[in-house]
Amino acid sequence: MQPDAPELTDAELIAQVRAGDVNAYEPLITRHREQVFAIVARHVPGAQVAETAHEAFVRAFLSLATYRAEKPFAHWLARIAVRTCYDFWRQQKRRPETPASGLDDDHQEWLERAAQGIARETFEHETAQREAAEVLDWALARVSASDRMVLTLLHREGHSVAEIAASLGWTQTRVKVTAFRARHKLRGILAGQMKDTR
Amino acid sequence: MNERDSKLDRLEQALWQAPPATPPATPVPPVEVWQANVMRAVRHAAPEPESLLDLPWLALRRAAVAAVVVATFGWVAALVWAPVRDSDLAQAAWAQSVSETWNME
């Protein structure tokens, strides 16, 4: 790694990369990898984080010609990271092994308690937190890649419709329609697991 | 709102409020190894400088191929169109001769 590289701005490093100095990309990776890992880790399983982050940085490199310096490089890179996660789930959905099993007893119990409104207090406990995250992952595994991304960005990460539209390269209308339908699907999936709502 | 919807609302709220699973603090491989792999992939994906010099020749070659394709298409189209055109001319000539015949009468 070049010792003086961190003193250069992102824009200067990008200019060097565009001029043909591929090594100038390495300080950009060093500077932004934590951000990319944090984004990717919120969307893909832990074992796939490193590979997906790798893919995001390679894609960013290949798309550097389209980067416009008016916006910060970090924002542009974040969008590429989100789209890479979306493509990860699209590829996963193309594979035939869609999980068909229901929730196990522990998760079923958590679901019933949450539906009764007594789960929030138990979030203090690590086990309950883990079970909630697992139930959510289980439910999200049963919706499409686009539904999953929109639900996660909107409800879990609290992004606005405009931000999600910008991240995924969609129109705001598409985001709203997808969010509405995805929520309806998710409620149907959850209802199918609740004993007295089937 | 019925009881079922209320339950689903509570359940949804609980799910989205649940803290996400703790992300790994560092990449699964050591970060240096991971970064070296990314840079290797980037170098592999980067265009060779020599290939940039080839770009004008590449553009010329593409233009030449496009010209050959267009010329071939035009020649084939002319071959197909010729009988039709001739047929039209023949019909026109026949119609003119008929007209002249009637006028003569």
Side-chain angles (χ1 to χ4, degrees):
Chain A
M1 199 183 300
Q2 299 163 357
D4 57 340
E7 295 170 10
L8 298 175
T9 64
D10 286 353
E12 288 166 338
L13 288 168
I14 290 164
Q16 286 186 6
V17 176
R18 281 173 167 172
D21 180 9
V22 178
N23 290 330
Y25 194 59
E26 189 155 13
L28 286 169
I29 298 176
T30 308
R31 199 173 290 174
H32 296 284
R33 70 182 175 217
E34 278 186 27
Q35 176 210 359
V36 170
F37 267 89
I39 292 169
V40 171
R42 291 199 293 268
H43 291 282
V44 307
Q48 307 296 329
V49 170
E51 193 180 330
T52 310
H54 175 124
E55 175 70 17
F57 273 109
V58 173
R59 282 191 191 189
F61 173 80
L62 293 174
S63 306
L64 267 184
T66 66
Y67 170 68
R68 297 286 173 268
E70 294 90 45
K71 292 184 178 176
F73 178 68
H75 293 186
W76 181 79
L77 187 60
R79 287 183 186 184
I80 290 181
V82 169
R83 288 180 200 181
T84 308
C85 294
Y86 174 44
D87 289 341
F88 168 83
W89 286 114
R90 287 174 68 190
Q91 285 170 2
Q92 289 292 310
K93 293 289 174 185
R94 283 194 206 114
R95 295 178 184 173
E97 68 269 20
T98 305
S101 61
L103 289 169
D104 63 22
D105 290 345
D106 289 343
H107 294 115
Q108 191 81 47
E109 188 184 338
W110 180 89
L111 196 126
E112 296 296 335
R113 286 161 62 86
Q116 300 296 331
I118 54 177
R120 207 177 303 170
E121 296 79 18
T122 63
F123 278 156
E124 308 283 325
H125 303 293
E126 200 175 315
T127 311
Q129 289 180 359
R130 196 190 66 239
E131 283 174 353
E134 287 168 355
V135 169
L136 185 59
D137 280 344
W138 176 88
L140 290 175
R142 281 152 180 78
V143 297
S144 69
S146 53
D147 291 350
R148 181 188 188 109
M149 287 305 293
V150 170
L151 285 172
T152 307
L153 288 166
L154 191 66
H155 295 296
R156 173 160 260 182
E157 299 189 13
H159 290 290
S160 69
V161 169
E163 287 169 341
I164 297 169
S167 292
L168 294 173
W170 294 0
T171 62
Q172 291 193 30
T173 307
R174 184 179 172 190
V175 173
K176 286 178 193 171
V177 170
T178 304
F180 177 80
R181 290 179 181 162
R183 189 173 170 228
H184 187 72
K185 276 185 220 166
L186 194 74
R187 283 172 74 93
I189 290 165
L190 295 171
Q193 292 299 311
M194 285 165 60
K195 283 173 186 164
D196 52 352
T197 58
R198 287 174 198 169
Chain B
M1 188 184 287
N2 59 28
E3 176 67 13
R4 176 181 177 275
D5 286 336
S6 303
K7 281 187 172 183
L8 282 172
D9 284 346
R10 284 195 291 268
L11 181 55
E12 262 192 308
Q13 201 177 3
L15 279 176
W16 293 121
Q17 284 182 348
T22 311
T26 53
V28 177
V31 70
E32 295 80 12
V33 175
W34 174 85
Q35 189 156 325
N37 285 337
V38 175
M39 282 308 294
R40 195 173 300 123
V42 161
R43 286 191 189 98
H44 184 71
E48 295 291 328
E50 292 80 16
S51 68
L52 294 174
L53 296 174
D54 289 341
L55 277 178
W57 290 110
L58 192 66
L60 271 178
R61 280 210 304 268
R62 284 181 180 166
V65 169
V68 168
V69 168
V70 167
T72 307
F73 178 78
W75 180 67
V76 171
L79 278 182
V80 171
W81 176 245
V84 178
R85 183 198 57 196
D86 293 346
S87 166
D88 286 344
L89 287 173
Q91 283 181 10
W94 176 79
Q96 192 177 359
S97 68
V98 168
S99 167
E100 285 170 2
T101 306
W102 278 101
N103 286 338
M104 282 172 69
E105 288 178 358

